[in-house]
Amino acid sequence: MNSSEAAKLLGVSTSTIQRWVKQLDLPMERNERGHYHFNDKDIEILQEIHEKLQSGTLIQEIAPIKEKKITRKGIVNTTEKNETFEKLLEKVNKLEMGLHAKADSVASYQLLQHRREIEELQQQIKELTQLVEKLQTEMNEMKRPPQIEKPLVLDNGKVKRKKKSFVSSLLGL
């Protein structure tokens, strides 16, 4: 029986049972989880301690029992746990593979997006380079000194002009 069952049987709290075992250094069995396990002999010892304390004896005056017991070791059914563990491990592996696949697809998508953005930026740079070259050409033309117009050829001191026809002179052309 465990600590809480023994405590109910004796009419005390679970912590009282545990305190008695520790303070009196009682040789009680423990299971694989470290919990106390009491048999009929252990219950008789605890009842004696309880009666002594009820009669007014101090806990320090109760002589400890030096007989030590071996802790109980449980046997775990490993085949069942191994199968469950294997299934769980398989599920975790599948989830990890799915996670890696998703991460790879996200990374691939991001790389494609960045590549498109880079190509668009390269096109803009190309267009800006052409525009800069055009503007430089126009500025160079503006900086060049104006060409002197060819002088008019004078024939005997008079400028030769093309004669206008009568109709074009009337129309003002």
Side-chain angles (χ1 to χ4, degrees):
M1 94 175 39
N2 62 25
S3 298
S4 61
E5 292 170 342
K8 285 180 186 176
L9 183 67
L10 297 172
V12 294
S13 70
T14 305
S15 59
T16 301
I17 296 288
Q18 293 169 350
R19 186 176 67 245
W20 289 349
V21 171
K22 288 178 186 173
Q23 286 181 346
L24 297 174
D25 197 26
L26 298 176
M28 302 297 165
E29 285 186 31
R30 290 181 181 240
N31 63 13
E32 65 275 355
R33 293 184 179 157
H35 299 273
Y36 291 115
H37 178 74
F38 303 102
N39 59 28
D40 292 336
K41 185 179 177 188
D42 297 334
I43 296 297
E44 288 175 15
I45 293 171
L46 291 173
Q47 281 178 338
E48 288 176 23
I49 293 170
H50 184 59
E51 289 171 4
K52 287 180 182 178
L53 291 171
Q54 290 292 329
S55 65
T57 309
L58 297 174
I59 196 160
Q60 294 86 357
E61 295 173 358
I62 300 174
I65 302 170
K66 295 295 180 190
E67 177 189 332
K68 291 284 183 178
K69 292 187 178 178
I70 302 169
T71 57
R72 191 174 102 183
K73 296 180 182 173
I75 299 172
V76 178
N77 190 354
T78 57
T79 56
E80 240 180 68
K81 290 194 176 189
N82 281 342
E83 290 174 13
T84 306
F85 181 73
E86 290 297 323
K87 287 179 183 177
L88 183 62
L89 189 60
E90 185 180 327
K91 286 181 181 180
V92 169
N93 286 337
K94 283 181 182 179
L95 286 172
E96 282 181 349
M97 288 174 52
L99 183 65
H100 288 299
K102 186 68 174 176
D104 288 345
S105 70
V106 167
S108 297
Y109 177 77
Q110 288 176 338
L111 284 172
L112 289 173
Q113 284 295 105
H114 290 303
R115 185 175 184 160
R116 281 189 214 119
E117 290 172 2
I118 289 172
E119 288 173 352
E120 288 173 3
L121 288 173
Q122 286 175 336
Q123 182 61 33
Q124 287 178 352
I125 289 172
K126 186 177 179 181
E127 291 171 2
L128 287 172
T129 303
Q130 291 172 350
L131 183 61
V132 167
E133 288 174 357
K134 180 181 174 186
L135 289 173
Q136 282 179 337
T137 305
E138 289 176 4
M139 269 189 63
N140 287 340
E141 287 178 10
M142 291 174 78
K143 286 182 181 178
R144 233 181 322 166
Q147 292 182 351
I148 302 172
E149 292 182 18
K150 295 181 184 176
L152 297 173
V153 179
L154 300 176
D155 190 22
N156 294 329
K158 292 186 177 179
V159 178
K160 282 187 172 181
R161 293 192 181 180
K162 191 176 180 184
K163 291 185 181 180
K164 292 183 180 179
S165 66
F166 178 71
V167 177
S168 60
S169 61
L170 282 177
L171 295 175
L173 298 173

